[in-house]
Every structure is written in structure tokens, then in C-alpha cells.
Amino acid sequence: MDSWKKKIQQGNRLVLFQGDITKVAADAIVNAANSSLLGGGGVDGAIHRAGGPAILEACKEIRARQGSCPTGEAVVTPAGNLPAKYVIHTVGPVWQSGDRDEPELLANCYRNSLKLAVAHGAKTVAFPNISTGVYSYPKDKAAEVAIRTVSTFLAQDSFLDYIIFVVFDKENYNIYQQLINKDKR
Ligand code: ADP
């Protein structure tokens, strides 16, 4: 059994999993998109490659309706060939100096993605480490924002079953593990 499934059985709503988010069969997986919604590199490229053209088609329809997606906002599409039901595309902030509202904008990504998930009846949501790739947000600072924002949301929510933080690299895994364990003490 996948390690994250074991943790759910233990009644933990915050789950840490190291691997490829395109393989995660959550109700919704979150994409670290760019504001064009037309795909890019990193996790965005991986999601579009694995999910097939249906995701891009849906993104184009959203663009035709509302234009680009502002930083911190989120939109939802079907998940094409992925095992998830939905992809929630959110646009993380590009790290500049830390005093351009980056923490608030990153928190908005997590909050708005979770709101959208609940609105679509998604009970399990998987997040990548938004903004910590090409957008250069320091990994430790981004993890603090992610865990704090998701924990606060969960504390006020009784609909969601669990949230999976999908980390791709060992460095992020160690950062998340330390922070999640600290919160439990
Ligand atoms: P951003 O532009 O928001 O920084 P990136 O895609 O460059 O987005 O990186 C965000 C995070 O996603 C990084 O920590 C990167 O290691 C991770 N990542 C890349 N590919 C995958 C994947 N297939 N599954 C999960 N995480 C991934």
C-alpha cells in the first residue's frame, strides 16, 4: 500500500508523499501553472504531458472567457488521462525579494485552490511545492506558508478528507517532514 494511504488510516489529514504528482489519484491535483494557462515547464509540463490535450483545451476555454489567471488565483479543469478527477491550476508568485507580497500571494494559491476543490466536491487534494522551481521561492519559506495555510483551512473545514503535499526532491521532503512533525508536538 502507498505510504500516504497508511497515514490516512491513522486519521491524519496532512499527508507527505515524495513522487510524481501526475501519478496521484487524488480527487484534485494542483498545478503550479503560469498566468497564461497555456502550459510551461516543471510540474506544469509534466501534468499536460501525462494528462493529454483535454487539459490544454479546457485551459484555452477558460482563457477565452476570463483572460489570463492572476497570481494567487486558481481555475479548475478536468484531468484528462490522469488518475485524478480535476486539475486545479494556480499561479504562484515569482520570488523577487520577499517584500513584494510573495507570502500572501502564495497563501492565496493554497487557499483559493482548496476553496475551488471544495466547490467541486473534491475531498482529497494533492499539492506540488508551488513556486519553488523556476519561480525561485525559497523552499523552507514556501513550505512554512503551505503548511500554515493548509492547516488553517483544514481547522475550519469538515468537508475535505486529506491533503497530500507531493514533494519531488529530497530537500523538500526533509523540510516538510520537519515542519509537519513540529506542528504535531
Ligand atoms: P514554479 O514555476 O511554480 O516554481 P515548477 O514546476 O518550476 O513551478 O516547480 C514547482 C515544484 O514542482 C518544484 O519543487 C519542482 O521540483 C516540482 N515538480 C516538478 N515536476 C514535478 C512532478 N512531476 N510532480 C511533483 N512535483 C514536481
Side-chain angles (χ1 to χ4, degrees):
M1 188 193 293
D2 291 344
S3 56
W4 55 272
K5 290 186 181 155
K6 274 189 215 143
K7 290 193 188 163
I8 298 151
Q9 289 185 330
Q10 290 158 12
N12 188 347
R13 292 170 86 200
L14 270 194
V15 180
L16 181 58
F17 172 68
Q18 187 175 5
D20 179 352
I21 200 165
T22 66
K23 305 272 196 307
V24 175
D27 290 339
I29 65 165
V30 177
N31 180 19
N34 60 54
S35 60
S36 80
L37 297 176
L38 295 179
V43 70
D44 197 5
I47 286 173
H48 281 282
R49 266 194 308 278
I55 300 178
L56 187 59
E57 283 312 309
C59 284
K60 284 182 180 164
E61 280 170 26
I62 292 168
R63 254 182 81 89
R65 276 202 309 274
Q66 69 164 55
S68 59
C69 183
T71 303
E73 301 296 316
V75 299
V76 64
T77 67
N81 303 326
L82 298 175
K85 291 191 192 118
Y86 299 105
V87 177
I88 294 172
H89 307 259
T90 187
V91 182
V94 177
W95 178 265
Q96 296 180 62
S97 50
D99 56 9
R100 304 278 183 90
D101 282 341
E102 291 96 330
E104 193 49 35
L105 290 167
L106 186 61
N108 287 348
C109 289
Y110 285 92
R111 239 183 333 257
N112 288 328
S113 296
L114 289 174
K115 280 187 199 161
L116 211 47
V118 170
H120 282 76
K123 284 184 162 287
T124 57
V125 184
F127 281 101
N129 305 139
I130 300 164
S131 285
T132 66
V134 175
Y135 284 1
S136 305
Y137 206 113
K139 290 179 181 177
D140 53 344
K141 290 189 168 65
E144 275 173 33
V145 171
I147 292 169
R148 179 169 21 89
T149 309
V150 170
S151 301
T152 303
F153 194 98
L154 284 178
Q156 294 158 359
D157 165 272
S158 55
F159 179 79
L160 292 161
D161 281 344
Y162 56 92
I163 306 303
I164 310 166
F165 288 115
V166 181
V167 296
F168 206 49
D169 55 273
K170 190 73 190 160
E171 190 187 350
N172 261 322
Y173 184 84
N174 291 338
I175 291 169
Y176 270 79
Q177 198 177 39
Q178 217 170 22
L179 286 174
I180 288 174
N181 288 336
K182 195 168 83 186
D183 281 356
K184 278 192 206 136
R185 280 201 292 267

